Amino acid sequence: MRRIVHGYFTPKSMEAWRPFVQKAVKELLDAAEEKGHMDVMRDLATPLPVLVIAQMMGVPEKDRPYVRQLAEKLLYIGRGEYDRMKPLTEGMRGMIDYVSPLVDERIVKPGDDFISVLASGEKAGIFTRHEVLVNTSLLLLAGHETTINLLCNGTLAFLRHPDQWALLKEDPAGRAKLATEECLRYDSPVKSIQRIASQDVEMRGKAMRKDERVRWFISSANRDPQKFANPDRFDITRWPNQHVAFGSGTHHCLGATLARVEGQEVFKALAERFPDLEVATADLEYQPSITFRSLRSLPVTWQ
Ligand code: HEM
């Protein structure tokens, strides 16, 4: 399955999305500038990844607000509310109903969008129709909740470390790449991921039995003192920076390059356009999730 979609996500083809990301970031920041204040979560981090993925799927402009509504319902997967299954189910059903006719269309008349790539997998007998449909939701979900957290946690890290913010402002275009890697490491968007043991295994003296659930903590690995000098220090010039924010091995994040492009463009634009950005509250709250490191909101102001 990965082989079908992998070609679409190569670093080279993702680089071609940079101008689109730049334009989307500019438009969102223009709107925020006009208002004079912004909640980074609501006004920038939440809409940006959906705009990008909707464009990748070839969703027509008029349907974007609807897809955004569905994407926001899918976010309930990682939240702690007791009634989260209702919006989550509505989001899943809504995506499947919305995407079904698009898949029918792309099977007959393929384009260069992501749904056409999945549809080609169905034609090749690798994906069933159901798998094509749920993989579109997976893409929306995997690229949304995670990127949101990179953008918010990264912005917060800068604003809490004025020396590093000053460093980025000296050369936003030149420093954005390494800075984004450090944001991914320092306050990782995904805290932990889960596996189910397929057989009995022993690891570092601990036995895991077949079918047991195992959770590994990305945020801990990314602060491992054996891997990183001064692991608790936010240092945007850190190099090498072999973090595991995108996982590792077979299921390494498919969208890593795209997420990096989005992070780089957002941090660069914020440093260029809002040099005196400040967090507007002392009370920041996180979603109660064991998987995602997700702020509820991030209000900011500027002069
Ligand atoms: C900062 C943003 C992101 C982070 C931190 C992140 C993190 C991760 C992690 C840790 C995994 C591994 C999950 C596992 O091993 O169980 C993963 C897998 C995945 N990611 Fe991302 N991701 C990000 C953005 C994106 C984007 C933008 C997309 C797509 C547009 C995407 C698509 C996927 C997919 C499809 C998988 C599943 C791959 C597989 O199971 O083979 N991700 N991501």
Side-chain angles (χ1 to χ4, degrees):
M1 282 183 171
R2 270 186 74 111
R3 221 169 289 141
I4 293 289
V5 291
H6 197 257
Y8 189 84
F9 284 98
T10 59
K12 201 170 152 220
S13 45
M14 286 301 110
E15 201 48 48
W17 281 88
R18 195 179 289 275
F20 180 84
V21 173
Q22 281 166 343
K23 186 167 161 278
V25 172
K26 181 179 178 307
E27 285 171 8
L28 293 168
L29 291 183
D30 286 348
E33 198 163 28
E34 207 164 291
K35 271 198 309 186
H37 57 89
M38 125 171 98
D39 173 356
V40 178
M41 178 55 91
R42 186 193 55 214
D43 302 327
L44 177 63
T46 305
L48 179 66
V50 181
L51 280 172
V52 176
I53 297 168
Q55 180 80 6
M56 285 187 160
M57 288 183 181
V59 170
E61 187 117 21
K62 65 171 181 26
D63 296 346
R64 300 231 171 111
Y66 179 61
V67 170
R68 188 170 157 190
Q69 257 177 35
L70 294 176
E72 285 178 24
K73 288 184 175 172
L74 289 179
L75 292 183
Y76 278 86
I77 199 167
R79 306 241 156 119
E81 288 88 343
Y82 290 116
D83 54 357
R84 66 184 179 273
M85 290 313 283
K86 188 171 177 285
L88 179 58
T89 310
E90 282 170 10
M92 259 338 241
R93 289 235 169 90
M95 269 304 280
I96 288 179
D97 292 345
Y98 176 75
V99 174
S100 279
L102 295 182
V103 178
D104 289 335
E105 218 178 279
R106 312 287 157 81
I107 292 257
V108 190
K109 204 165 150 248
D112 54 8
D113 56 278
F114 185 72
I115 296 180
S116 298
V117 175
L118 289 175
S120 76
E122 181 182 326
K123 264 193 187 164
I126 293 165
F127 283 94
T128 62
R129 172 58 59 95
H130 182 69
E131 285 165 348
V132 169
L133 296 174
V134 294
N135 269 285
T136 55
S137 306
L138 169 69
L139 185 78
L140 193 58
L141 188 62
H144 192 196
E145 178 69 297
T146 49
T147 310
I148 283 178
N149 300 332
L150 165 62
L151 304 180
C152 285
N153 301 352
T155 304
L156 182 62
F158 278 115
L159 301 187
R160 282 186 169 161
H161 297 85
D163 60 325
Q164 299 300 302
W165 182 230
L167 210 56
L168 180 69
K169 284 187 289 186
E170 273 174 17
D171 181 10
R175 296 224 160 100
K177 277 196 179 157
L178 288 194
T180 301
E181 297 311 305
E182 181 65 348
C183 293
L184 285 158
R185 184 198 71 84
Y186 179 78
D187 200 3
S188 307
V190 178
K191 287 194 278 196
S192 68
I193 52 181
Q194 186 173 279
R195 292 288 183 270
I196 297 174
S198 58
Q199 57 189 49
D200 292 353
V201 276
E202 206 189 288
M203 218 176 154
R204 299 201 194 110
K206 295 259 191 318
M208 293 173 231
R209 267 175 231 101
K210 183 174 180 316
D211 296 333
E212 273 182 353
R213 287 166 183 239
V214 184
R215 191 163 268 278
W216 68 274
F217 282 81
I218 291 178
S219 4
S220 307
N222 282 344
R223 298 280 187 107
D224 183 347
Q226 291 181 9
K227 275 277 168 193
F228 303 98
N230 297 321
D232 295 333
R233 195 176 128 64
F234 180 58
D235 170 5
I236 66 161
T237 61
R238 191 183 286 276
W239 185 259
N241 190 348
Q242 287 171 309
H243 62 75
V244 285
F246 293 115
S248 77
T250 314
H251 294 283
H252 181 265
C253 178
L254 206 58
T257 310
L258 176 62
R260 288 183 156 119
V261 169
E262 292 181 52
Q264 292 157 9
E265 292 306 325
V266 162
F267 300 137
K268 182 163 74 100
L270 286 178
E272 282 168 354
R273 291 185 60 172
F274 301 97
D276 54 358
L277 202 64
E278 276 176 28
V279 182
T281 171
D283 300 319
L284 289 171
E285 277 183 41
Y286 287 85
Q287 297 286 353
S289 162
I290 198 172
T291 304
F292 298 110
R293 170 79 169 155
S294 196
L295 279 163
R296 285 188 195 272
S297 66
L298 180 56
V300 291
T301 50
W302 57 88
Q303 291 303 311

